[in-house]
């Protein structure tokens, strides 16, 4: 995309140089009028592309960090006594194993 834009810019500038070689006082204005929209489009394209790549990298890093934190919390909760772990799993909204009713003995 950027290479195509630069190629068009070069071709149009060369064409303007050839056609207006007898009146060089008009060249800067015409070349500026040709170059400005093409450069703006290339800049916008590259800005969006780079921004998306950085956003993807940040999202990936955040997901890895979240997964690591979840594994750490799970390991910590596994080391706690069941009564204490149940309190914390309810606090963080983590799923817990179903508990047998209080009036029935465990099988």
């Amino acid at each position: 995309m950027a290479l195509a834009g630069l190629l068009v810019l070069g071709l149009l500038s060369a064409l303007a140089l050839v056609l207006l070689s007898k009146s060089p006082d008009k060249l800067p204005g015409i070349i500026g009028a040709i170059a400005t929209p093409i450069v703006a489009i290339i800049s916008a394209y590259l800005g969006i592309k780079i921004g998306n790549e950085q956003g993807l990298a940040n999202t990936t890093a955040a997901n890895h960090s979240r997964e690591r934190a979840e594994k750490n919390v799970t390991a910590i909760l596994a080391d706690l006594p069941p009564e204490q772990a149940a309190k914390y799993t309810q606090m963080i909204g983590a799923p817990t194993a179903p508990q047998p009713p209080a009036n029935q003995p465990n099988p």
Side-chain angles (χ1 to χ4, degrees):
M1 169 75 180
L3 188 58
L6 292 174
L7 182 64
V8 169
L9 178 61
L11 290 174
L12 290 175
S13 297
L15 182 64
L17 284 170
V18 169
L19 293 176
L20 297 171
S21 61
K22 293 192 170 118
S23 55
D25 57 325
K26 294 181 182 179
L27 276 176
I30 292 176
I31 291 178
I34 293 170
T36 300
I38 295 172
V39 170
I41 291 169
I42 293 171
S43 298
Y45 169 76
L46 292 175
I48 290 171
K49 183 177 178 181
I50 291 169
N52 282 341
E53 289 171 358
Q54 288 177 346
L56 180 60
N58 289 342
T59 301
T60 303
N63 283 339
H64 287 304
S65 178
R66 180 189 49 80
E67 289 170 1
R68 208 171 34 250
E70 286 175 355
K71 287 179 184 177
N72 289 341
V73 167
T74 302
I76 291 169
L77 289 175
D79 286 342
L80 292 176
E83 307 80 36
Q84 222 176 0
K87 177 177 94 172
Y88 292 112
T89 54
Q90 287 175 354
M91 230 192 285
I92 62 173
T96 58
Q99 300 295 324
N103 57 0
Q104 292 182 357
N106 285 338

Coordinates of all heavy atoms in Angstrom, one line a residue:
M1 N 0.8 -1.2 0.0 CA 0.0 0.0 0.0 C 0.9 1.3 0.0 O 0.7 2.1 -0.8 CB -0.9 0.0 1.2 CG -1.7 1.2 1.5 SD -3.0 1.4 0.4 CE -3.7 3.0 0.9
A2 N 1.8 1.3 0.9 CA 2.7 2.5 1.0 C 3.6 2.6 -0.2 O 3.8 3.7 -0.7 CB 3.5 2.4 2.3
L3 N 4.1 1.5 -0.7 CA 4.9 1.5 -1.8 C 4.2 1.9 -3.1 O 4.7 2.7 -3.9 CB 5.5 0.1 -2.1 CG 6.6 -0.1 -3.1 CD1 7.8 0.9 -2.8 CD2 7.1 -1.5 -3.2
A4 N 2.9 1.5 -3.2 CA 2.1 1.9 -4.4 C 1.8 3.4 -4.3 O 1.9 4.1 -5.3 CB 0.8 1.2 -4.4
G5 N 1.6 3.9 -3.1 CA 1.4 5.4 -3.0 C 2.6 6.2 -3.3 O 2.5 7.2 -4.0
L6 N 3.8 5.7 -2.9 CA 5.0 6.4 -3.3 C 5.3 6.3 -4.8 O 5.8 7.3 -5.3 CB 6.2 5.8 -2.5 CG 6.2 6.0 -1.0 CD1 7.3 5.3 -0.3 CD2 6.3 7.5 -0.7
L7 N 4.9 5.2 -5.4 CA 5.1 5.1 -6.8 C 4.2 6.1 -7.6 O 4.7 6.7 -8.5 CB 4.8 3.6 -7.2 CG 5.0 3.3 -8.7 CD1 6.4 3.5 -9.1 CD2 4.5 1.9 -9.0
V8 N 3.0 6.2 -7.2 CA 2.0 7.1 -7.8 C 2.5 8.5 -7.6 O 2.5 9.4 -8.5 CB 0.6 6.9 -7.2 CG1 -0.3 8.1 -7.6 CG2 0.0 5.6 -7.7
L9 N 3.0 8.8 -6.4 CA 3.5 10.1 -6.1 C 4.7 10.5 -7.0 O 4.8 11.6 -7.5 CB 4.0 10.2 -4.6 CG 4.6 11.5 -4.1 CD1 3.6 12.7 -4.3 CD2 5.0 11.4 -2.7
G10 N 5.6 9.5 -7.1 CA 6.7 9.8 -8.0 C 6.3 10.0 -9.5 O 6.9 10.9 -10.1
L11 N 5.4 9.1 -10.0 CA 4.9 9.3 -11.3 C 4.3 10.6 -11.6 O 4.5 11.3 -12.6 CB 4.0 8.1 -11.7 CG 4.7 6.7 -11.8 CD1 3.6 5.7 -12.0 CD2 5.7 6.7 -13.0
L12 N 3.4 11.0 -10.7 CA 2.7 12.3 -10.8 C 3.6 13.5 -10.7 O 3.5 14.5 -11.5 CB 1.5 12.4 -9.8 CG 0.3 11.5 -10.0 CD1 -0.6 11.6 -8.9 CD2 -0.3 11.8 -11.4
S13 N 4.6 13.4 -9.9 CA 5.6 14.5 -9.7 C 6.4 14.6 -11.0 O 6.7 15.7 -11.5 CB 6.5 14.3 -8.5 OG 5.7 14.3 -7.4
A14 N 6.8 13.4 -11.5 CA 7.6 13.4 -12.8 C 6.8 14.0 -13.9 O 7.3 14.8 -14.8 CB 8.1 12.0 -13.1
L15 N 5.6 13.6 -14.0 CA 4.7 14.1 -15.1 C 4.5 15.6 -14.9 O 4.6 16.4 -15.9 CB 3.3 13.5 -15.0 CG 2.3 13.9 -16.0 CD1 2.7 13.5 -17.4 CD2 0.9 13.2 -15.7
A16 N 4.4 16.1 -13.7 CA 4.3 17.6 -13.5 C 5.5 18.3 -13.9 O 5.5 19.4 -14.5 CB 3.9 17.9 -12.0
L17 N 6.7 17.7 -13.6 CA 8.0 18.3 -14.0 C 8.1 18.4 -15.5 O 8.6 19.4 -16.0 CB 9.1 17.5 -13.4 CG 9.4 17.6 -11.9 CD1 10.4 16.6 -11.5 CD2 9.9 19.0 -11.6
V18 N 7.7 17.3 -16.2 CA 7.8 17.3 -17.7 C 6.8 18.3 -18.3 O 7.2 19.1 -19.2 CB 7.5 15.9 -18.2 CG1 7.4 15.9 -19.7 CG2 8.6 15.0 -17.8
L19 N 5.6 18.3 -17.8 CA 4.6 19.2 -18.4 C 4.8 20.7 -18.1 O 4.5 21.6 -18.9 CB 3.2 18.8 -18.0 CG 2.7 17.5 -18.5 CD1 1.3 17.1 -17.9 CD2 2.7 17.4 -20.0
L20 N 5.4 21.0 -16.9 CA 5.5 22.4 -16.5 C 7.0 22.8 -16.5 O 7.4 23.8 -15.8 CB 4.9 22.6 -15.1 CG 3.4 22.3 -15.0 CD1 3.0 22.3 -13.6 CD2 2.7 23.4 -15.8
S21 N 7.8 22.2 -17.3 CA 9.2 22.5 -17.3 C 9.5 24.0 -17.8 O 10.5 24.6 -17.5 CB 10.0 21.5 -18.2 OG 9.5 21.6 -19.5
K22 N 8.5 24.5 -18.6 CA 8.7 25.9 -19.1 C 8.2 26.9 -18.1 O 8.6 28.1 -18.3 CB 8.0 26.0 -20.4 CG 8.6 25.1 -21.5 CD 8.0 25.4 -22.8 CE 8.9 24.7 -23.8 NZ 8.5 23.8 -24.7
S23 N 7.5 26.5 -17.1 CA 7.0 27.5 -16.1 C 7.3 27.0 -14.7 O 6.4 26.5 -14.0 CB 5.5 27.9 -16.3 OG 4.8 26.7 -16.2
P24 N 8.6 27.0 -14.3 CA 8.9 26.4 -13.0 C 8.4 27.1 -11.8 O 8.4 26.5 -10.7 CB 10.5 26.5 -13.0 CG 10.8 27.5 -14.0 CD 9.7 27.6 -15.0
D25 N 7.8 28.3 -11.9 CA 7.3 29.0 -10.7 C 6.0 28.3 -10.3 O 5.6 28.5 -9.1 CB 7.0 30.5 -11.1 CG 6.1 30.7 -12.3 OD1 6.2 29.8 -13.2 OD2 5.3 31.6 -12.3
K26 N 5.3 27.5 -11.1 CA 4.1 26.8 -10.7 C 4.3 25.4 -10.1 O 3.5 24.8 -9.5 CB 3.1 26.7 -11.9 CG 2.6 28.0 -12.4 CD 1.7 27.8 -13.6 CE 1.3 29.2 -14.1 NZ 0.4 29.0 -15.3
L27 N 5.5 24.9 -10.3 CA 5.9 23.5 -9.9 C 5.7 23.3 -8.4 O 5.0 22.3 -8.1 CB 7.3 23.2 -10.3 CG 7.5 22.7 -11.7 CD1 8.9 22.4 -12.0 CD2 6.7 21.4 -12.0
P28 N 6.2 24.1 -7.5 CA 6.0 23.8 -6.1 C 4.5 23.6 -5.7 O 4.2 22.7 -4.9 CB 6.7 25.0 -5.4 CG 7.6 25.5 -6.4 CD 7.0 25.3 -7.7
G29 N 3.7 24.5 -6.2 CA 2.3 24.4 -5.8 C 1.6 23.2 -6.3 O 0.8 22.5 -5.6
I30 N 1.9 22.8 -7.6 CA 1.3 21.6 -8.2 C 1.8 20.4 -7.5 O 1.0 19.5 -7.2 CB 1.5 21.6 -9.7 CG1 0.7 22.8 -10.3 CG2 1.1 20.3 -10.3 CD1 0.9 23.0 -11.8
I31 N 3.1 20.3 -7.3 CA 3.7 19.1 -6.7 C 3.2 19.0 -5.2 O 2.9 17.9 -4.7 CB 5.2 19.1 -6.7 CG1 5.7 18.9 -8.2 CG2 5.8 18.0 -5.8 CD1 7.1 18.9 -8.4
G32 N 3.0 20.1 -4.5 CA 2.4 20.1 -3.2 C 1.0 19.6 -3.2 O 0.6 18.8 -2.3
A33 N 0.2 20.0 -4.2 CA -1.2 19.6 -4.3 C -1.3 18.1 -4.6 O -2.2 17.4 -4.2 CB -1.9 20.4 -5.4
I34 N -0.3 17.6 -5.4 CA -0.3 16.2 -5.7 C 0.2 15.4 -4.5 O -0.4 14.3 -4.1 CB 0.7 15.9 -6.9 CG1 0.1 16.5 -8.1 CG2 0.9 14.4 -7.1 CD1 1.1 16.5 -9.3
A35 N 1.2 15.8 -3.8 CA 1.8 15.0 -2.7 C 1.0 15.0 -1.4 O 1.0 14.0 -0.7 CB 3.2 15.6 -2.4
T36 N 0.4 16.1 -1.1 CA -0.3 16.2 0.2 C -1.3 15.1 0.4 O -1.3 14.4 1.5 CB -0.9 17.6 0.4 OG1 0.1 18.6 0.3 CG2 -1.6 17.7 1.7
P37 N -2.3 14.9 -0.5 CA -3.3 13.8 -0.1 C -2.6 12.4 -0.1 O -3.0 11.6 0.7 CB -4.3 13.9 -1.3 CG -3.8 14.8 -2.3 CD -2.6 15.6 -1.7
I38 N -1.7 12.2 -1.0 CA -1.0 10.8 -1.0 C -0.3 10.6 0.3 O -0.4 9.5 0.9 CB -0.1 10.7 -2.3 CG1 -1.0 10.7 -3.5 CG2 0.7 9.4 -2.2 CD1 -0.2 10.8 -4.8
V39 N 0.5 11.6 0.7 CA 1.3 11.4 1.9 C 0.3 11.3 3.1 O 0.6 10.5 4.0 CB 2.2 12.7 2.1 CG1 2.8 12.7 3.5 CG2 3.3 12.6 1.1
A40 N -0.8 12.0 3.1 CA -1.8 11.9 4.2 C -2.3 10.5 4.3 O -2.5 9.9 5.4 CB -2.9 12.9 4.0
I41 N -2.7 9.9 3.1 CA -3.2 8.5 3.1 C -2.2 7.5 3.6 O -2.5 6.6 4.4 CB -3.7 8.2 1.7 CG1 -5.0 9.1 1.4 CG2 -4.1 6.7 1.5 CD1 -5.4 9.0 -0.1
I42 N -1.0 7.6 3.1 CA 0.1 6.7 3.5 C 0.4 6.8 5.0 O 0.5 5.8 5.7 CB 1.4 7.0 2.7 CG1 1.2 6.6 1.2 CG2 2.6 6.2 3.3 CD1 2.3 7.0 0.3
S43 N 0.4 8.0 5.5 CA 0.6 8.3 7.0 C -0.5 7.6 7.8 O -0.3 7.0 8.8 CB 0.7 9.7 7.3 OG 1.8 10.3 6.6
A44 N -1.7 7.8 7.3 CA -2.9 7.3 8.1 C -2.8 5.7 8.0 O -3.0 5.1 9.1 CB -4.2 7.7 7.5
Y45 N -2.5 5.2 6.9 CA -2.4 3.7 6.8 C -1.3 3.2 7.7 O -1.6 2.2 8.5 CB -2.1 3.3 5.3 CG -1.7 1.9 5.2 CD1 -2.6 0.9 5.2 CD2 -0.3 1.5 5.0 CE1 -2.3 -0.5 5.1 CE2 0.0 0.2 4.8 CZ -1.0 -0.8 4.9 OH -0.6 -2.1 4.7
L46 N -0.1 3.8 7.7 CA 0.9 3.3 8.6 C 0.6 3.5 10.0 O 0.9 2.7 10.9 CB 2.3 4.0 8.2 CG 2.8 3.6 6.8 CD1 4.1 4.4 6.5 CD2 3.1 2.1 6.7
G47 N 0.0 4.6 10.4 CA -0.4 4.9 11.8 C -1.4 3.8 12.3 O -1.3 3.3 13.4
I48 N -2.4 3.5 11.5 CA -3.4 2.5 11.9 C -2.7 1.1 12.0 O -2.9 0.4 12.9 CB -4.5 2.4 10.9 CG1 -5.3 3.7 11.0 CG2 -5.4 1.2 11.1 CD1 -6.4 3.9 9.9
K49 N -1.8 0.8 11.0 CA -1.2 -0.5 11.0 C -0.3 -0.7 12.3 O -0.4 -1.7 13.0 CB -0.3 -0.7 9.8 CG 0.4 -2.0 9.7 CD 1.1 -2.2 8.4 CE 1.8 -3.5 8.3 NZ 2.6 -3.7 7.1
I50 N 0.5 0.3 12.6 CA 1.4 0.3 13.7 C 0.6 0.2 15.0 O 0.9 -0.5 16.0 CB 2.4 1.4 13.7 CG1 3.4 1.2 12.6 CG2 3.1 1.5 15.1 CD1 4.3 2.4 12.3
G51 N -0.5 1.0 15.1 CA -1.3 1.1 16.3 C -2.0 -0.3 16.5 O -2.1 -0.7 17.7
N52 N -2.4 -1.0 15.5 CA -3.1 -2.3 15.7 C -2.1 -3.3 16.1 O -2.4 -4.1 17.0 CB -3.7 -2.7 14.3 CG -5.0 -2.0 14.1 OD1 -5.6 -1.5 15.0 ND2 -5.4 -2.1 12.8
E53 N -0.8 -3.2 15.6 CA 0.2 -4.2 16.0 C 0.5 -4.0 17.5 O 0.7 -5.0 18.3 CB 1.4 -4.0 15.2 CG 1.2 -4.5 13.8 CD 2.4 -4.2 12.8 OE1 3.4 -3.5 13.3 OE2 2.4 -4.6 11.7
Q54 N 0.6 -2.8 17.9 CA 0.9 -2.5 19.3 C -0.2 -2.9 20.2 O 0.0 -3.4 21.3 CB 1.3 -1.0 19.5 CG 2.6 -0.6 19.0 CD 2.9 0.8 19.1 OE1 2.1 1.6 19.4 NE2 4.2 1.2 18.9
G55 N -1.4 -2.6 19.8 CA -2.6 -3.0 20.6 C -2.7 -4.5 20.7 O -3.0 -5.0 21.8
L56 N -2.4 -5.3 19.7 CA -2.4 -6.7 19.7 C -1.3 -7.2 20.7 O -1.6 -8.1 21.5 CB -2.2 -7.3 18.4 CG -2.2 -8.9 18.3 CD1 -3.5 -9.4 18.7 CD2 -1.9 -9.3 16.8
A57 N -0.2 -6.6 20.7 CA 0.9 -7.0 21.6 C 0.5 -6.8 23.0 O 0.8 -7.6 23.9 CB 2.2 -6.3 21.2
N58 N -0.1 -5.6 23.3 CA -0.6 -5.3 24.6 C -1.7 -6.2 25.1 O -1.7 -6.6 26.3 CB -1.1 -3.8 24.7 CG 0.1 -2.8 24.6 OD1 1.2 -3.1 24.8 ND2 -0.3 -1.6 24.2
T59 N -2.6 -6.6 24.2 CA -3.6 -7.5 24.6 C -3.1 -8.9 24.9 O -3.5 -9.5 25.9 CB -4.7 -7.6 23.4 OG1 -5.2 -6.3 23.2 CG2 -5.8 -8.6 23.7
T60 N -2.1 -9.3 24.1 CA -1.5 -10.6 24.4 C -0.8 -10.6 25.7 O -0.9 -11.6 26.5 CB -0.5 -11.0 23.2 OG1 -1.2 -10.9 22.0 CG2 0.1 -12.3 23.4
A61 N 0.0 -9.6 26.0 CA 0.7 -9.5 27.3 C -0.3 -9.5 28.4 O -0.1 -10.1 29.5 CB 1.6 -8.2 27.3
A62 N -1.4 -8.8 28.3 CA -2.4 -8.7 29.4 C -3.0 -10.1 29.6 O -3.3 -10.5 30.7 CB -3.5 -7.7 29.0
N63 N -3.3 -10.8 28.5 CA -3.9 -12.1 28.7 C -2.9 -13.1 29.4 O -3.3 -13.9 30.2 CB -4.3 -12.7 27.3 CG -5.6 -12.1 26.8 OD1 -6.4 -11.5 27.5 ND2 -5.7 -12.1 25.5
H64 N -1.7 -13.0 29.0 CA -0.7 -13.9 29.7 C -0.6 -13.5 31.2 O -0.5 -14.4 32.0 CB 0.7 -13.7 29.0 CG 0.8 -14.4 27.7 ND1 0.5 -15.7 27.5 CD2 1.2 -13.9 26.5 CE1 0.7 -16.0 26.2 NE2 1.1 -14.9 25.6
S65 N -0.6 -12.3 31.5 CA -0.5 -11.8 32.9 C -1.8 -12.3 33.7 O -1.6 -12.8 34.8 CB -0.4 -10.3 32.9 OG -0.4 -9.9 34.2
R66 N -2.9 -12.2 33.0 CA -4.2 -12.6 33.7 C -4.1 -14.1 33.9 O -4.5 -14.6 35.0 CB -5.4 -12.3 32.8 CG -6.7 -12.7 33.4 CD -7.9 -12.5 32.5 NE -7.6 -13.0 31.1 CZ -7.8 -14.3 30.8 NH1 -8.1 -15.2 31.7 NH2 -7.6 -14.7 29.6
E67 N -3.7 -14.9 32.9 CA -3.6 -16.4 33.1 C -2.7 -16.8 34.2 O -2.9 -17.7 35.0 CB -3.2 -17.0 31.8 CG -4.3 -17.0 30.7 CD -3.8 -17.4 29.3 OE1 -2.6 -17.8 29.2 OE2 -4.6 -17.4 28.4
R68 N -1.5 -16.1 34.3 CA -0.5 -16.3 35.3 C -1.2 -16.0 36.7 O -1.0 -16.8 37.7 CB 0.7 -15.5 35.1 CG 2.0 -16.1 35.6 CD 3.2 -15.4 35.2 NE 3.1 -13.9 35.0 CZ 3.2 -13.3 33.8 NH1 3.3 -14.0 32.7 NH2 3.1 -12.0 33.8
A69 N -1.9 -14.9 36.8 CA -2.5 -14.6 38.1 C -3.6 -15.6 38.5 O -3.7 -16.0 39.7 CB -3.1 -13.2 38.0
E70 N -4.3 -16.1 37.5 CA -5.4 -17.1 37.8 C -4.7 -18.4 38.3 O -5.2 -19.0 39.3 CB -6.2 -17.4 36.6 CG -7.2 -16.2 36.3 CD -7.9 -16.5 35.0 OE1 -7.7 -17.5 34.2 OE2 -8.8 -15.7 34.7
K71 N -3.6 -18.8 37.7 CA -2.9 -20.0 38.1 C -2.4 -19.8 39.6 O -2.4 -20.7 40.4 CB -1.8 -20.3 37.2 CG -2.3 -20.9 35.9 CD -1.1 -21.2 34.9 CE -1.6 -21.7 33.6 NZ -0.5 -21.9 32.6
N72 N -1.8 -18.6 39.8 CA -1.3 -18.4 41.2 C -2.4 -18.4 42.2 O -2.2 -19.0 43.3 CB -0.6 -17.0 41.2 CG 0.7 -17.0 40.5 OD1 1.3 -18.1 40.2 ND2 1.2 -15.9 40.1
V73 N -3.5 -17.8 41.9 CA -4.7 -17.8 42.9 C -5.2 -19.2 43.1 O -5.5 -19.6 44.2 CB -5.8 -16.9 42.4 CG1 -7.1 -17.1 43.2 CG2 -5.4 -15.4 42.5
T74 N -5.3 -20.0 42.0 CA -5.7 -21.4 42.2 C -4.8 -22.2 43.0 O -5.2 -22.9 43.9 CB -5.9 -22.0 40.8 OG1 -6.8 -21.2 40.0 CG2 -6.4 -23.4 40.8
A75 N -3.5 -22.0 42.8 CA -2.5 -22.7 43.6 C -2.6 -22.3 45.1 O -2.5 -23.1 46.0 CB -1.1 -22.4 43.1
I76 N -2.8 -21.0 45.4 CA -2.9 -20.5 46.8 C -4.2 -21.1 47.4 O -4.1 -21.6 48.5 CB -2.9 -19.0 46.8 CG1 -1.5 -18.5 46.4 CG2 -3.3 -18.5 48.2 CD1 -1.5 -17.0 46.2
L77 N -5.3 -21.1 46.7 CA -6.5 -21.6 47.2 C -6.4 -23.1 47.5 O -7.0 -23.6 48.4 CB -7.7 -21.3 46.3 CG -8.1 -19.8 46.3 CD1 -9.2 -19.6 45.2 CD2 -8.6 -19.3 47.6
A78 N -5.7 -23.8 46.7 CA -5.6 -25.3 46.8 C -4.8 -25.6 48.1 O -5.0 -26.7 48.7 CB -4.9 -25.9 45.6
D79 N -3.9 -24.7 48.6 CA -3.2 -24.9 49.8 C -4.0 -24.6 51.1 O -3.5 -25.0 52.1 CB -1.9 -24.1 49.8 CG -0.9 -24.7 48.8 OD1 -1.0 -25.9 48.4 OD2 0.1 -24.0 48.4
L80 N -5.1 -23.9 50.9 CA -5.8 -23.5 52.1 C -6.8 -24.6 52.5 O -7.1 -25.5 51.7 CB -6.7 -22.3 51.8 CG -5.9 -21.0 51.6 CD1 -6.9 -19.9 51.2 CD2 -5.2 -20.5 52.8
P81 N -7.1 -24.6 53.8 CA -8.1 -25.6 54.3 C -9.4 -25.3 53.5 O -9.7 -24.2 53.2 CB -8.3 -25.3 55.8 CG -7.1 -24.5 56.2 CD -6.6 -23.8 54.9
P82 N -10.2 -26.4 53.3 CA -11.5 -26.2 52.5 C -12.4 -25.1 53.0 O -13.0 -24.3 52.2 CB -12.1 -27.6 52.5 CG -11.0 -28.5 52.8 CD -10.0 -27.7 53.6
E83 N -12.5 -25.0 54.3 CA -13.5 -23.9 54.9 C -13.0 -22.5 54.5 O -13.7 -21.7 54.2 CB -13.6 -24.1 56.4 CG -13.9 -25.4 56.9 CD -12.7 -26.4 57.0 OE1 -11.6 -25.9 57.3 OE2 -13.0 -27.6 56.7
Q84 N -11.7 -22.4 54.6 CA -11.1 -21.0 54.4 C -11.1 -20.8 52.8 O -11.4 -19.7 52.4 CB -9.6 -21.0 54.9 CG -9.3 -19.7 55.5 CD -7.9 -19.8 56.1 OE1 -7.2 -20.8 56.0 NE2 -7.4 -18.7 56.7
A85 N -10.8 -21.8 52.1 CA -10.8 -21.6 50.6 C -12.2 -21.3 50.1 O -12.3 -20.4 49.2 CB -10.3 -22.9 49.9
A86 N -13.2 -21.9 50.7 CA -14.6 -21.6 50.2 C -14.9 -20.1 50.4 O -15.6 -19.5 49.5 CB -15.6 -22.5 51.0
K87 N -14.5 -19.6 51.5 CA -14.8 -18.1 51.8 C -14.2 -17.3 50.7 O -14.8 -16.4 50.1 CB -14.2 -17.7 53.1 CG -14.4 -16.3 53.5 CD -13.9 -16.0 54.9 CE -12.4 -15.5 54.8 NZ -11.9 -15.1 56.0
Y88 N -12.9 -17.6 50.3 CA -12.2 -16.7 49.3 C -12.8 -17.0 47.8 O -12.8 -16.1 47.0 CB -10.7 -17.0 49.3 CG -10.1 -16.4 50.6 CD1 -9.6 -17.2 51.6 CD2 -10.2 -15.0 50.8 CE1 -9.1 -16.7 52.8 CE2 -9.6 -14.5 52.0 CZ -9.1 -15.4 53.0 OH -8.6 -14.8 54.1
T89 N -13.1 -18.2 47.6 CA -13.6 -18.5 46.2 C -15.0 -17.8 46.0 O -15.3 -17.3 44.9 CB -13.8 -20.0 46.0 OG1 -14.6 -20.6 47.0 CG2 -12.5 -20.7 45.8
Q90 N -15.8 -17.7 47.1 CA -17.0 -17.0 47.0 C -16.8 -15.5 46.8 O -17.4 -14.8 46.0 CB -17.9 -17.2 48.3 CG -18.5 -18.5 48.3 CD -19.3 -18.7 49.7 OE1 -19.2 -17.9 50.6 NE2 -19.9 -19.9 49.8
M91 N -15.7 -15.0 47.5 CA -15.4 -13.6 47.4 C -15.0 -13.2 46.0 O -15.4 -12.1 45.5 CB -14.2 -13.3 48.3 CG -14.4 -12.1 49.2 SD -12.9 -11.6 50.0 CE -12.7 -12.8 51.3
I92 N -14.2 -14.0 45.3 CA -13.8 -13.7 44.0 C -14.7 -14.2 42.9 O -14.5 -14.0 41.7 CB -12.3 -14.2 43.7 CG1 -12.2 -15.7 43.8 CG2 -11.3 -13.6 44.6 CD1 -10.9 -16.3 43.4
G93 N -15.7 -14.9 43.3 CA -16.7 -15.4 42.3 C -16.2 -16.6 41.5 O -16.7 -16.9 40.4
A94 N -15.3 -17.4 42.1 CA -14.8 -18.6 41.4 C -15.8 -19.7 41.7 O -16.4 -19.8 42.7 CB -13.4 -18.9 41.9
P95 N -15.9 -20.7 40.7 CA -16.8 -21.8 40.9 C -16.2 -22.7 42.0 O -15.0 -22.8 42.2 CB -16.8 -22.5 39.6 CG -15.6 -22.0 38.9 CD -15.2 -20.7 39.4
T96 N -17.1 -23.3 42.8 CA -16.8 -24.2 43.8 C -17.4 -25.5 43.6 O -18.5 -25.6 42.9 CB -17.2 -23.6 45.2 OG1 -18.6 -23.4 45.2 CG2 -16.4 -22.3 45.5
A97 N -16.9 -26.6 44.2 CA -17.5 -27.9 44.2 C -18.8 -27.9 45.0 O -18.9 -27.2 46.0 CB -16.6 -28.9 44.7
P98 N -19.8 -28.6 44.5 CA -21.1 -28.6 45.3 C -20.8 -29.3 46.6 O -20.1 -30.2 46.7 CB -22.0 -29.4 44.4 CG -21.2 -30.1 43.3 CD -19.9 -29.4 43.3
Q99 N -21.4 -28.7 47.7 CA -21.3 -29.2 49.0 C -22.5 -30.1 49.3 O -23.7 -29.7 49.0 CB -21.2 -28.0 50.0 CG -20.1 -27.1 49.8 CD -18.7 -27.8 50.0 OE1 -18.6 -28.6 50.9 NE2 -17.7 -27.4 49.2
P100 N -22.3 -31.2 50.0 CA -23.5 -32.0 50.4 C -24.3 -31.3 51.5 O -23.8 -30.4 52.2 CB -22.8 -33.3 51.0 CG -21.4 -32.8 51.4 CD -21.1 -31.7 50.5
P101 N -25.6 -31.5 51.5 CA -26.4 -30.9 52.5 C -25.9 -31.2 53.9 O -25.4 -32.2 54.2 CB -27.8 -31.5 52.3 CG -27.8 -32.1 50.9 CD -26.3 -32.4 50.6
A102 N -26.1 -30.2 54.8 CA -25.6 -30.3 56.2 C -26.2 -31.5 56.9 O -25.6 -32.1 57.8 CB -25.9 -29.0 56.9
N103 N -27.5 -31.9 56.6 CA -28.1 -32.9 57.4 C -27.8 -34.3 56.9 O -28.3 -35.3 57.5 CB -29.6 -32.7 57.5 CG -30.3 -32.6 56.1 OD1 -29.6 -32.7 55.1 ND2 -31.6 -32.4 56.1
Q104 N -27.1 -34.5 55.8 CA -26.8 -35.8 55.3 C -25.3 -36.1 55.5 O -24.5 -35.3 55.3 CB -27.2 -35.9 53.8 CG -28.6 -35.8 53.5 CD -28.9 -36.0 52.0 OE1 -28.0 -36.1 51.2 NE2 -30.2 -36.0 51.7
P105 N -25.0 -37.3 55.9 CA -23.6 -37.7 56.0 C -22.9 -37.8 54.7 O -23.5 -38.1 53.7 CB -23.7 -39.1 56.7 CG -25.0 -39.6 56.4 CD -25.9 -38.4 56.2
N106 N -21.6 -37.6 54.7 CA -20.8 -37.7 53.5 C -20.7 -39.2 53.1 O -20.5 -40.0 54.0 CB -19.4 -37.2 53.6 CG -19.4 -35.6 53.6 OD1 -20.3 -35.0 53.1 ND2 -18.4 -35.1 54.2
P107 N -20.8 -39.6 51.8 CA -20.7 -41.0 51.4 C -19.3 -41.5 51.5 O -18.4 -40.9 51.5 CB -21.2 -41.1 50.0 CG -21.3 -39.7 49.5 CD -21.2 -38.7 50.7

